[in-house]
Amino acid sequence: MAKFLNTSATNYYLEELIKVTKERLIIISPFLKFNDRMKELLSDKDRMKIDVRIVYGKSELAPQEMNWLRSLEFVRTGFCQNLHAKCYLNERAAIITSMNLYDFSQINNNEMGILVVRESDPDLYRDTYEEAQRLIRISEQVRLAAEKVEETKQEEEPADEKTFDKLSTSKLAKKLGMRTGALVDQLLAKRYLEKEDDKMKLAEAGRKAGGEFRSSPQFGPYFIWPKDMKL
């Protein structure tokens, strides 16, 4: 029998659902934003080589969210037009709820949901799983699109923002033969960048190393670095 979930129960069971996933995790949520706890949980699944599928429905992905997603090898992301469903499931259970992933751990919100356990409600779980699979099939895969934006960013930046002796973070990562996410981790470790309210900020050490903050209407905020910068 399905179990009713209030706000705190939805948060609890969602975290547990992610933590106990052994085979496959599906996350369906219109709004995609990750707090530190959710990043920790999904990064752990990535280290365990768990297949994670994320379907979202709003196109306003912040650059830092996109770069973090691209750093995860076993996480695939899809965009589904007109998505309003919120559902989270693994091989054993599913949560259908009013709570967006964006609202995870926001206990002050008023949410409702149900927990469906495969063993006790096989038919309801199967119907939920099949609908989730349909949404995955009709979703556009955005990982390659995101990489294409990063690869063409420097050429498409406004002319007055181009700095030919400096490279964007993704371009510098490519030059150094590493993933963008790995380079960002190194920049954070060296305190060239700082995290403030889930956003990246250029630190004083980064400025001294030649880093600069840039922003364009098309691509939003980003950083550029000396092309010969050593880490």
Side-chain angles (χ1 to χ4, degrees):
M1 178 180 292
K3 177 183 178 67
F4 172 78
L5 305 177
N6 61 15
T7 303
S8 58
T10 300
N11 275 277
Y12 171 77
Y13 280 103
L14 175 55
E15 180 168 339
E16 290 301 304
L17 184 144
I18 296 173
K19 285 164 61 177
V20 302
T21 298
K22 301 298 183 185
E23 298 175 12
R24 193 182 197 197
L25 175 66
I26 299 174
I27 292 174
I28 297 171
S29 177
F31 296 95
L32 206 56
K33 185 176 180 181
F34 307 92
N35 60 27
D36 289 342
R37 181 57 177 160
M38 183 57 68
K39 286 182 178 180
E40 177 184 308
L41 292 168
L42 293 179
S43 294
D44 187 51
K45 296 296 109 177
D46 191 64
R47 285 189 291 270
M48 295 172 62
K49 300 182 179 180
I50 302 297
D51 180 22
V52 179
R53 302 293 183 95
I54 299 176
V55 178
Y56 71 102
K58 301 297 180 183
S59 59
E60 301 87 1
L61 267 186
Q64 62 267 25
E65 304 288 340
M66 190 176 293
N67 286 334
W68 178 75
L69 282 170
R70 289 173 59 193
S71 73
L72 303 179
E73 185 177 356
F74 295 92
V75 175
R76 284 179 280 181
T77 309
F79 175 78
C80 183
Q81 190 73 33
N82 300 321
L83 179 70
H84 199 258
K86 298 98 176 176
C87 181
Y88 313 94
L89 64 158
N90 63 12
E91 66 277 2
R92 297 171 56 188
I95 295 173
I96 304 170
T97 177
S98 62
M99 189 181 77
N100 287 296
L101 187 65
Y102 182 91
D103 299 313
F104 174 69
S105 292
Q106 300 300 314
I107 304 298
N108 55 309
N109 292 345
N110 293 305
E111 309 285 358
M112 292 186 186
I114 60 168
L115 172 68
V116 179
V117 178
R118 181 179 185 177
E119 185 177 348
S120 56
D121 279 301
D123 292 340
L124 181 54
Y125 175 87
R126 186 186 63 249
D127 290 344
T128 305
Y129 181 82
E130 288 178 355
E131 178 62 12
Q133 288 293 98
R134 186 187 72 83
L135 292 175
I136 290 172
R137 288 195 300 271
I138 66 173
S139 299
E140 293 182 33
Q141 293 297 315
V142 299
R143 181 180 291 272
L144 291 178
E147 291 176 354
K148 183 176 180 182
V149 168
E150 291 290 341
E151 289 170 0
T152 59
K153 179 183 289 185
Q154 194 167 13
E155 289 77 7
E156 294 180 356
E157 288 164 6
D160 61 351
E161 290 189 3
K162 288 185 178 179
T163 306
F164 295 101
D165 61 342
K166 295 189 176 182
L167 301 174
S168 66
T169 306
S170 60
K171 288 281 187 177
L172 180 59
K174 186 175 181 180
K175 181 175 182 291
L176 295 173
M178 57 195 305
R179 298 176 70 90
T180 303
L183 176 57
V184 170
D185 287 342
Q186 288 199 26
L187 293 169
L188 285 167
K190 292 181 73 69
R191 300 188 183 279
Y192 288 0
L193 291 176
E194 297 175 343
K195 285 186 71 174
E196 188 176 276
D197 298 328
D198 288 334
K199 294 182 180 179
M200 293 295 181
K201 176 182 175 183
L202 186 65
E204 184 60 30
R207 292 190 188 91
K208 290 180 178 178
E212 297 181 39
F213 173 81
R214 290 285 186 269
S215 183
S216 72
Q218 185 174 2
F219 298 109
Y222 60 98
F223 303 99
I224 58 174
W225 310 93
K227 63 182 180 183
D228 58 351
M229 188 170 76
K230 307 293 185 184
L231 293 176

